[in-house]
Amino acid sequence: MTPLARTAAIAALGLLTLPATAQEIPSAYGCHGLEQDADLATIEGRDGMFYRMASDMRMDRPFSDATVADMAALSRALASRGTTLIYAPIPTKSVSMPAWLPDRATDLGFDLEVATKVQTDILDRLNAAGVVTADLRAALLTAEPGRPTFFATDTHWNAYGADLGARAIAEVMRAQPVYDTLEKTRHETVETGTDNGVLVMRRILQRRCTETLPMPVTRTYETRVAQPGGPLDIGLGGDAPLDIGLGEDAPLDIGLGDDSPLDIGLGGEDIDLFGEAEARLPVAIVGTSFSDLATVNFPGFLAQHSDLEVVNYAITGGAQFGAITSYLTSDDYQNAPPTFLVWENPIYTNFAQVGDQPMRELIAAAGDTCTRQVPFTLDPNGQTLIADLDTDLTPGDTLFLDTDAPVTDAVAFHFWSAEDRIRTRSIRRGDRLRRTGRFYMPLTGLWPDGARQVEVTSTAKFGPTPTLFVCSLDAS
């Protein structure tokens, strides 16, 4: 651990171990016990601005050297298909809007300089490894004095913050050599009124406050192709408006236990947004509710500032990997990789908390190294596949299973050793993720001599032509 990381970790531990009896500053809204709330511990800032203790006020960020190396490998794999990855981490509200922090933040151990250095250090390390990034923290700090870029009583950026973030990403796109070769589509954005953001956080806060809290209100906008009456055309045909799958009343999940499935408008089947296979989409967005929140118009702003057509594949409640996994394993990407892939993710997400499989899956799906076919037999039940594995396979290899059954939501890989020992690793696509029927499993965590056989069981019957391949290690 670097000295900077140690400093942040020590400070964060001091912050997170705040005694429950610590004296609170009088609230402007009669709030009490916010910092110890079991559902969402929060600190009240100036002018009704609220910060989450764990996500906004914590200073250390889990982004290991191994994660940086994986991101570099993913960037190279995408580049091999002609796609430039632009990683755009959403900074915390605390470093983006420090003017609204209460004096009490310092008493709790928060150090703005350390928190800022930790977040910029992540970008510096990614840039040094060859990953193109967008510095959204710097972009949000260019906001007009006194004008918030996040909702006061919500976790997300507002339309103004989304606009500033989109400008920064568009500048990164314009700096890439490939940008000048792309066909431009001029867009215009018009203000349409005001609307509320997500109300989940506000409802939790209001339970501990006697006065009515501010509503998360933002100005709203609509982006169109710059032609009279022309809506934003993202290749859906005719004059279809931009639909990013929220519907009119769909709630947003900020990780507080709402397990209702997200309808992203795809139904149960793949939809071809590209037309013919050789068509290449200029920009695809994968990310979280920051990109998927229709109220803030982030995809529209990105189309406006980049002069490029944009398709949004973000998934609310998909966590750090949901949207990008759904997209990279889909026909949309496999048949026509985009020129730019914008990956938005909150800076506080931890890529390593679920093991190596998700990142290894992305790297294998992004590239074109799954060329070695593995023979197998199917059990009569149609839901079990058995294959002998070559002895020359290494932990750097990944198995790619295409079930040819897009309804499949989970598979389990049962590996057998030469001594008939078994180890099982599973992949499950959550309710919010798109079904593609494609799964990638790295050959890590097995035995020194590897596995002699794999048995794969599925929650649904395999399709008529399933396939199994080995994807080679990225040796770059």
Side-chain angles (χ1 to χ4, degrees):
M1 182 181 289
T2 66
L4 178 60
R6 279 196 297 270
T7 300
I10 293 170
L13 286 173
L15 178 68
L16 295 177
T17 55
L18 175 73
T21 57
Q23 183 179 3
E24 296 187 35
I25 304 300
S27 166
Y29 297 92
C31 304
H32 61 89
L34 292 174
E35 296 165 18
Q36 289 80 42
D37 190 283
D39 292 324
L40 189 65
T42 314
I43 183 172
E44 181 178 343
R46 295 181 172 86
D47 300 328
M49 188 66 62
F50 290 82
Y51 299 83
R52 292 167 295 172
M53 297 287 287
S55 299
D56 296 319
M57 303 302 295
R58 183 166 179 163
M59 291 178 292
D60 64 319
R61 299 296 161 199
F63 220 95
S64 66
D65 291 342
T67 298
V68 172
D70 284 341
M71 290 289 290
L74 175 60
S75 179
R76 292 192 297 268
L78 288 164
S80 73
R81 302 288 302 278
T83 298
T84 298
L85 172 66
I86 299 178
Y87 185 60
I90 305 289
T92 58
K93 187 187 287 190
S94 56
V95 302
S96 304
M97 296 179 50
W100 284 265
L101 284 169
D103 294 335
R104 179 161 171 71
T106 302
D107 299 334
L108 294 175
F110 181 78
D111 186 313
L112 178 61
E113 182 179 0
V114 171
T116 300
K117 285 183 177 179
V118 168
Q119 295 187 37
T120 56
D121 177 66
I122 292 174
L123 295 183
D124 291 342
R125 291 157 58 210
L126 287 170
N127 291 332
V131 180
V132 178
T133 66
D135 190 347
L136 301 187
R137 182 197 65 86
L140 296 179
L141 288 176
T142 66
E144 300 170 9
R147 188 173 178 184
T149 53
F150 280 74
F151 291 107
T153 54
D154 180 36
T155 64
H156 300 88
W157 55 15
N158 56 25
Y160 183 44
D163 185 13
L164 293 176
R167 289 176 185 269
I169 296 171
E171 289 179 4
V172 173
M173 289 181 183
R174 292 176 182 273
Q176 306 308 309
V178 70
Y179 177 83
D180 291 336
T181 69
L182 300 178
E183 180 180 352
K184 307 304 187 294
T185 304
R186 193 167 66 87
H187 298 80
E188 59 185 9
T189 299
V190 296
E191 186 172 345
T192 57
T194 61
D195 197 1
N196 293 326
V198 190
L199 300 178
V200 177
M201 179 176 173
R202 182 181 178 276
R203 292 192 187 109
I204 295 173
L205 296 173
Q206 189 65 71
R207 297 179 310 189
R208 291 185 174 272
C209 305
T210 58
E211 302 295 327
T212 301
L213 294 173
M215 293 292 290
V217 178
T218 183
R219 298 174 187 173
T220 57
Y221 301 86
E222 181 180 359
T223 301
R224 308 183 180 100
V225 172
Q227 297 173 355
L232 177 59
D233 179 11
I234 58 171
L236 295 175
D239 55 359
L242 175 61
D243 177 11
I244 59 174
L246 286 177
E248 185 172 338
D249 298 314
L252 283 165
D253 184 347
I254 59 171
L256 300 175
D258 180 4
D259 58 359
S260 58
L262 174 68
D263 178 10
I264 58 173
L266 295 174
E269 299 180 359
D270 291 334
I271 293 179
D272 182 6
L273 299 179
F274 299 95
E276 297 182 5
E278 63 269 15
R280 181 179 285 273
L281 180 69
V283 183
I285 300 174
V286 290
T288 67
S289 51
F290 278 87
S291 298
D292 201 25
L293 181 57
T295 306
V296 304
N297 193 46
F298 172 65
F301 286 129
L302 186 57
Q304 176 196 352
H305 298 310
S306 67
D307 289 329
L308 298 174
E309 294 192 7
V310 174
V311 172
N312 184 18
Y313 292 90
I315 297 177
T316 296
Q320 57 268 64
F321 295 114
I324 190 170
T325 300
S326 295
Y327 178 56
L328 292 187
T329 61
S330 72
D331 286 340
D332 290 355
Y333 171 79
Q334 294 297 327
N335 293 340
T339 300
F340 291 110
L341 180 63
V342 177
W343 188 9
E344 164 268 306
N345 240 316
I347 194 80
Y348 48 78
T349 55
N350 185 349
F351 285 176
Q353 73 181 89
V354 288
D356 67 346
Q357 186 274 326
M359 282 297 298
R360 287 283 297 271
E361 180 166 49
L362 298 182
I363 295 166
D368 194 20
T369 65
C370 303
T371 58
R372 181 175 169 184
Q373 192 158 7
V374 180
F376 59 83
T377 58
L378 279 177
D379 189 271
N381 66 16
Q383 293 181 236
T384 303
L385 174 156
I386 301 174
D388 293 329
L389 300 178
D390 292 340
T391 57
D392 63 344
L393 297 180
T394 72
D397 295 315
T398 297
L399 291 181
F400 164 42
L401 171 67
D402 186 342
T403 65
D404 194 32
V407 298
T408 305
D409 64 353
V411 293
F413 289 74
H414 310 281
F415 294 99
W416 294 87
S417 73
E419 294 78 22
D420 286 333
R421 296 178 180 176
I422 185 172
R423 292 182 181 175
T424 298
R425 300 180 68 183
S426 300
I427 304 175
R428 178 173 295 278
R429 307 296 191 214
D431 291 339
R432 300 172 186 266
L433 273 62
R434 187 175 181 177
R435 302 286 185 269
T436 66
R438 299 185 176 111
F439 302 87
Y440 298 76
M441 179 60 70
L443 297 180
T444 50
L446 300 175
W447 303 272
D449 295 332
R452 66 171 178 82
Q453 191 178 77
V454 63
E455 177 182 310
V456 185
T457 55
S458 169
T459 56
K461 288 188 176 183
F462 290 101
T465 57
T467 53
L468 184 66
F469 287 87
V470 173
C471 311
S472 61
L473 174 69
D474 174 12
S476 301

